[in-house]
Amino acid sequence: MDAQLKRGLLDVCVLAAIRDEDSYGYQIIKDLKPYLELSESTLYTILKRLEGAGLLTVRSAEHEGRLRKYYHITGPGIARIEEFKEDWKEIQSIYQFVMKEEKVE
């Protein structure tokens, strides 16, 4: 798969994982596991990129005596998911075109 396309898909997946409630790294990986394999190093790279782009915010909170970072989606992050949904319609159309059987003459 094209690296740029995969990067964009992973970004949207991470945003979708925190859309309904704030979450932390390990939980995000668990939530995504039925759909894709994601290493911790890849996830934290994505989270830093999304934070830098203003698509999510980070807060630290104590949990069982340790600090844990929780990630919260922002308005622009929600808008990015919505953009993806619109883009997906075009991607599906392109896929259907590519996959249609060739006519033999």
Side-chain angles (χ1 to χ4, degrees):
M1 179 182 290
D2 177 73
Q4 285 297 101
L5 177 59
K6 186 171 185 177
R7 178 178 165 179
L9 292 172
L10 291 176
D11 287 359
V12 172
C13 288
V14 170
L15 290 170
I18 63 171
R19 175 181 42 210
D20 296 330
E21 67 179 316
D22 294 358
S23 194
Y24 55 96
Y26 180 70
Q27 185 63 49
I28 294 169
I29 289 172
K30 279 179 44 178
D31 291 343
L32 291 176
K33 192 169 187 149
Y35 309 100
L36 58 100
E37 287 292 321
L38 192 62
S39 70
E40 284 186 43
S41 61
T42 299
L43 173 64
Y44 288 109
T45 300
I46 293 167
L47 290 167
K48 284 184 181 223
R49 182 172 57 245
L50 294 173
E51 181 185 14
L55 302 178
L56 59 81
T57 58
V58 183
R59 68 178 169 81
S60 293
E62 190 174 322
H63 177 77
E64 298 179 0
R66 297 175 57 202
L67 278 182
R68 180 184 277 175
K69 288 184 177 182
Y70 286 88
Y71 300 90
H72 174 80
I73 194 167
T74 62
I78 292 170
R80 177 63 195 109
I81 292 172
E82 293 306 313
E83 287 172 24
F84 172 78
K85 289 179 186 178
E86 287 300 313
D87 292 345
W88 189 249
K89 292 174 188 174
E90 184 178 357
I91 292 168
Q92 285 177 310
S93 179
I94 293 167
Y95 177 82
Q96 288 173 350
F97 173 75
V98 170
M99 295 305 293
K100 74 178 182 181
E101 293 188 28
E102 295 180 27
K103 294 180 181 176
V104 179
E105 294 182 29

